Each structure stands twice: as structure tokens, then as C-alpha cells.
């Protein structure tokens, strides 16, 4: 089944404790992206990757890191999480062109205390 | 940078009433996509519009792309309780530009349907 998977689905952590949210897709998509969703703000893009070893900032990249060492994986790293990073995070992927639909993962609900 | 504004933020309707959400971009778009997110779920792609003035229908849903390719709308005829959710529009960055990989979403319209 074609899908985007994320882990963990739920995470409660404390300020400053490094964490990684994994994202994997099995559709051989070149493009992958991370979004955060907050009430009233919709989906805001954090980082995206056009291909392996090619990443770029979205609209809200501060406090986040990403890497794209393999085509299928695009982990989101929070080196020192802060409470304002409490949010619902979605990973998404699509074929290369912006004319292709994006497929979203199930989401990761992160709480930083 | 590119901004995509969506209105209204909330819409409460009685089952059977129509519903429309509007999307406006600060820049001309190469295409616009619409997504639906059910409560507790993830966004799911509905449709993509590419041509100026394009109109597409999916059963009770009608999607329009403005002539100037800066605005779009989603209209649902005779809403049903299954239409409940948040509807988002999204527009890509300019092809060939530094923001090409970006996808900017509107804030979304939360639709509630009362039976």
C-alpha cells in the first residue's frame, strides 16, 4: 500500500531534550516536506527536500533541522525543543513537479513541556 | 513572500445548505490544490486546478480557478454530515524561482454541518 509513515504518532517531552520524528514513504517520490499545524494558522511548511541531499527552508524553519540521505526517509530533528514547538506535525511527499498531489502522513502530535 | 488567504475561517451550516470557501493568493499561481482534512485526520488531496478560469466538478463539489490565477473557490451543494472537516487551498512557489519547492497553504475553512 502506498503510504507515508511517521513515528512516533504522539510524543511528550521536556524543553531541551533532542528528538527526532521519522518520516518514510514507499512511493519513490523525489519531493518530501514537513509541516506544522496550529489552530488558526493552517499548515505551515518547515522544510522541504526536492531530492536526496537537497533540502531547503520553508516558511518556519527556525528550531528545526532535516536531512535527506535516502530517497524514502526525511527525518525532522529538534535539537533543543521549546514549548512553542508544541504542535501537530505532518510529513508529506509527492512526485517531483509541483503539479502533483501531495500525500500526507498520519501526523505526529508533539507536546514540549 | 507569497501569501494565501482563505475565508471564512469557520462556517456552520444546516445539512442541505450550500457552502463556499474562497482562496486568494498574493501572487499568480501556476496551479492551485485543494485538500480536505477530517477531524483528527490528515489532509487528503481533492483536486488540482491549472488553467485560467478552470472549473472542475466532483459530485457535489465545484472548484473554480480565477481568470488571473490568483484566486479560487470551492463550493459544496447540499452539504451532508460527511462533508464535515477543514478545507485547505494550497499554492506552489514560482517555477524556477528560489521558492519553487514551497507550498503555501491557506489557513483553512472549518466546516460544521448540523443534521
Amino acid at each position: 500500500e502506498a503510504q507515508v509513515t511517521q513515528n512516533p504518532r504522539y510524543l511528550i517531552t521536556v524543553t531541551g531534550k533532542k528528538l527526532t520524528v521519522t518520516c518514510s514513504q514507499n512511493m519513490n517520490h523525489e519531493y518530501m516536506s514537513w509541516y506544522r499545524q496550529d489552530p488558526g494558522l493552517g499548515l505551515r511548511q518547515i522544510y522541504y527536500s526536492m531530492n536526496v541531499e537537497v533540502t531547503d527552508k520553508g516558511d518556519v524553519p527556525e528550531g528545526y533541522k532535516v536531512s535527506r540521505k535516502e530517497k524514502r526517509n526525511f527525518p525532522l530533528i529538534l535539537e533543543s525543543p521549546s514549548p512553542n514547538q508544541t504542535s501537530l506535525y505532518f510529513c508529506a511527499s509527492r512526485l517531483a513537479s509541483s503539479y502533483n498531489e501531495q500525500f500526507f502522513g498520519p501526523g505526529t502530535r508533539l507536546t514540549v513541556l | 513572500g507569497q501569501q494565501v488567504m482563505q475565508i471564512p475561517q469557520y462556517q456552520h451550516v444546516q445539512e442541505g445548505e450550500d457552502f463556499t470557501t474562497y482562496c486568494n493568493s498574493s501572487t499568480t499561481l501556476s496551479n492551485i490544490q485543494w485538500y480536505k482534512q477530517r477531524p483528527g485526520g490528515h489532509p487528503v488531496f481533492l483536486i488540482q486546478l491549472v488553467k485560467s478560469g478552470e472549473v472542475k466538478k466532483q459530485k457535489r463539489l465545484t472548484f473554480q480557478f480565477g481568470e488571473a490565477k490568483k484566486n479560487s473557490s470551492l463550493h459544496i451543494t447540499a452539504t451532508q454530515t460527511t462533508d464535515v472537516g477543514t478545507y485547505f487551498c494550497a499554492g506552489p512557489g514560482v517555477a524556477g524561482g528560489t521558492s519553487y519547492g514551497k507550498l503555501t497553504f491557506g489557513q483553512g475553512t472549518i466546516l460544521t454541518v448540523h443534521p
Side-chain angles (χ1 to χ4, degrees), chain A residues 31 33 35 45 48 50 56-59 94 96 98, chain B residues 1-3 26-30 91-104:
Chain A
Y31 178 98
S33 184
Y35 298 88
Q45 193 174 40
Y48 61 92
M50 303 286 278
D56 209 345
K57 297 176 181 179
D59 291 320
R94 69 171 194 239
S98 70
Chain B
Q2 179 186 54
Q3 291 186 334
S26 59
T27 59
T28 301
L29 300 170
S30 58
V94 176
T98 57
S99 64
Y100 178 54
K102 285 188 176 182
L103 187 66
T104 302

Side-chain angles (χ1 to χ4, degrees), chain B:
Chain B
Q2 179 186 54
Q3 291 186 334
V4 177
M5 307 298 292
Q6 196 174 345
I7 57 169
Q9 187 173 357
Y10 302 94
Q11 187 75 56
H12 306 274
V13 299
Q14 289 293 131
E15 190 172 19
E17 291 182 340
D18 292 357
F19 158 76
T20 304
T21 175
Y22 300 91
C23 183
N24 288 286
S25 171
S26 59
T27 59
T28 301
L29 300 170
S30 58
N31 67 81
I32 193 160
Q33 299 181 349
W34 284 91
Y35 292 80
K36 177 183 179 180
Q37 183 179 23
R38 294 183 186 275
H42 59 275
V44 174
F45 176 85
L46 292 176
I47 206 163
Q48 177 178 265
L49 305 172
V50 178
K51 299 177 183 176
S52 169
E54 188 171 15
V55 178
K56 286 189 175 180
K57 291 190 175 184
Q58 289 180 348
K59 297 183 181 178
R60 294 177 295 103
L61 277 63
T62 301
F63 303 84
Q64 291 188 316
F65 200 10
E67 294 290 339
K69 301 182 77 173
K70 295 182 73 174
N71 61 288
S72 182
S73 65
L74 158 59
H75 179 82
I76 302 178
T77 303
T79 55
Q80 300 175 357
T81 55
T82 53
D83 295 325
V84 164
T86 304
Y87 293 85
F88 293 99
C89 61
V94 176
T98 57
S99 64
Y100 178 54
K102 285 188 176 182
L103 187 66
T104 302
F105 281 76
Q107 298 94 325
T109 295
I110 300 172
L111 173 64
T112 304
V113 180
H114 300 285

Side-chain angles (χ1 to χ4, degrees), chain A residues 1-102:
Chain A
E1 178 189 357
Q3 59 183 349
V4 179
T5 57
Q6 294 178 228
N7 282 291
R9 294 290 312 281
Y10 303 90
L11 179 60
I12 300 175
T13 189
V14 295
T15 299
K17 186 176 181 181
K18 181 179 179 180
L19 67 92
T20 299
V21 184
T22 64
C23 173
S24 183
Q25 51 92 7
N26 63 0
M27 296 170 279
N28 202 37
H29 285 169
E30 291 188 359
Y31 178 98
M32 298 185 74
S33 184
W34 276 102
Y35 298 88
R36 61 177 289 174
Q37 185 173 25
D38 303 288
L41 297 177
L43 290 152
R44 293 180 293 167
Q45 193 174 40
I46 303 170
Y47 270 95
Y48 61 92
S49 170
M50 303 286 278
N51 212 328
V52 175
E53 301 291 3
V54 180
T55 63
D56 209 345
K57 297 176 181 179
D59 291 320
V60 288
E62 295 79 19
Y64 305 94
K65 286 176 58 177
V66 293
S67 68
R68 187 89 182 274
K69 293 182 171 57
E70 307 165 280
K71 199 171 188 178
R72 63 182 293 126
N73 297 322
F74 190 44
L76 179 69
I77 303 157
L78 284 72
E79 294 268 0
S80 183
S82 62
N84 64 13
Q85 293 178 299
T86 292
S87 188
L88 178 59
Y89 291 87
F90 288 102
C91 180
S93 74
R94 69 171 194 239
L95 287 172
S97 167
S98 70
Y99 289 82
N100 300 112
E101 69 179 276
Q102 271 196 132

